[in-house]
Amino acid sequence: MKKYIIFFTLIIISFTSSLNAQSNFKAGEFLKFRIHYTGLNAGYATINVEDVTLNGKSHYHIIGKGNSSGAVRVFFKVDDNYESYIDKSTMKPTKFVRNIVEGSYKRHQIYYFDHANKKAKVENKKDGSINTETIPFDAQDLLSAFYNLRNQDYKKIKTGDFLNQNIFLGDETLKFRLKVLGRETLKTKFGKISAIKIRPYVQSGRIFKESESVTMWISDDENLVPLKIKAGLMVGSLNADLDDFKNLKSPINFSK
């Protein structure tokens, strides 16, 4: 169960795109997702955006949280907190915080990005150790990658396109790849909406049944907000749905 809940927290905040210094979101935005594991209410994840100044530069402060709840929390507690500080002029992360509790597993790390020198300093708050890792020029963290996706021109996203991104995970860089499957009308708790269907390619054999086990739907508009995720796992299945939203930069249109 542990690795399935961890997977959701990562996947809901880790979808990717090309660089673009413009933003299709704004400070005050709030997104909430409800997670189900094989029919059980497994928890919630939230993401909200704030404006801050870091190192004398204007940044977006993105805060992502994931928590188990209900019956799942009784036997496995999850309290995850992720924070990304994204330089508005480049849409690249300057700082990333990972502070998580997943059962008996705890980790508190801070990443400091030096994109000019292709380096990232990783500070482990538990033992005080500091490591320096080499990163690609376009490295993103889990949260900045998600918001980078949303800066694309949705009208230019075509069926068959591949979206690629390098996501730095602290000790390695994940080469993340998604394929655009097409467009369709999706039914949600808010009503029906036009959605872009995307397939993230994942590693099969440990968590997922196969490399094409995950499907994601995002709104077919300037927001490019994740609406739904379905994943077939080695044991059971995982579903996540948009449960609440506030202060989107552009109108989002649902119909009955």
Side-chain angles (χ1 to χ4, degrees):
M1 171 62 73
K2 170 182 175 179
K3 58 189 176 184
Y4 302 148
I5 298 175
I6 296 171
F7 159 73
F8 168 75
T9 305
L10 296 181
I11 203 167
I12 199 67
I13 59 182
S14 65
F15 296 103
T16 62
S17 173
S18 59
L19 295 177
N20 186 329
Q22 302 299 315
S23 61
N24 289 330
F25 54 90
K26 65 179 182 178
E29 181 186 273
F30 172 82
L31 303 174
K32 181 179 180 181
F33 302 89
R34 185 171 184 175
I35 315 151
H36 285 91
Y37 171 72
T38 312
L40 293 175
N41 182 18
Y44 293 90
T46 62
I47 315 176
N48 62 283
V49 183
E50 298 176 352
D51 280 335
V52 297
T53 298
L54 181 65
N55 300 331
K57 294 184 178 180
S58 183
H59 282 68
Y60 290 113
H61 181 201
I62 315 296
I63 304 168
K65 296 183 178 182
N67 306 96
S68 58
S69 64
V72 172
R73 191 173 182 85
V74 172
F75 62 86
F76 190 77
K77 179 181 178 180
V78 173
D79 287 308
D80 288 353
N81 181 75
Y82 297 89
E83 299 179 56
S84 181
Y85 295 80
I86 304 172
D87 189 328
K88 290 186 179 181
S89 67
T90 63
M91 287 305 294
K92 291 183 179 181
T94 299
K95 178 181 176 181
F96 179 70
V97 178
R98 181 188 181 196
N99 188 5
I100 61 175
V101 176
E102 294 157 355
S104 61
Y105 178 80
K106 299 179 182 180
R107 180 165 292 187
H108 189 183
Q109 295 178 315
I110 303 177
Y111 309 165
Y112 300 93
F113 290 87
D114 180 357
H115 296 283
N117 293 305
K118 299 181 182 179
K119 299 290 183 181
K121 182 173 71 173
V122 180
E123 178 182 2
N124 292 285
K125 302 297 286 186
K126 288 189 68 177
D127 61 13
S129 64
I130 297 177
N131 301 310
T132 300
E133 305 286 345
T134 299
I135 59 173
F137 77 96
D138 59 349
Q140 298 285 333
D141 62 51
L142 288 167
L143 286 177
S144 66
F146 163 58
Y147 279 88
N148 218 18
L149 164 63
R150 296 177 57 198
N151 288 334
Q152 286 201 88
D153 183 347
Y154 74 99
K155 295 178 181 178
K156 294 182 179 179
I157 298 176
K158 306 298 183 183
T159 300
D161 284 354
F162 283 92
L163 308 177
N164 302 286
Q165 183 66 66
N166 290 312
I167 304 178
F168 180 63
L169 298 176
D171 56 1
E172 65 176 331
T173 298
L174 173 67
K175 295 185 180 296
F176 205 71
R177 193 181 197 206
L178 304 95
K179 182 179 181 180
V180 180
L181 301 181
R183 285 172 162 83
E184 62 185 39
T185 299
L186 181 70
K187 186 177 181 180
T188 75
K189 63 174 287 186
F190 307 103
K192 297 178 181 178
I193 187 171
S194 178
I196 302 172
K197 189 176 181 180
I198 293 177
R199 171 147 296 148
Y201 285 89
V202 295
Q203 183 178 359
S204 62
R206 292 193 306 163
I207 298 177
F208 306 101
K209 290 182 179 179
E210 54 188 27
S211 63
E212 298 184 1
S213 291
V214 181
T215 307
M216 179 183 184
W217 290 261
I218 59 177
S219 61
D220 188 11
D221 57 22
E222 291 181 351
N223 299 295
L224 291 174
V225 169
L227 301 166
K228 186 177 185 66
I229 297 173
K230 294 178 66 176
L233 309 175
M234 293 296 291
V235 179
S237 61
L238 188 75
N239 290 276
D241 297 276
L242 182 65
D243 192 62
D244 193 12
F245 62 91
K246 299 175 184 177
N247 299 319
L248 298 180
K249 186 174 182 179
S250 300
I252 186 167
N253 297 313
F254 295 94
S255 62
K256 298 300 183 182

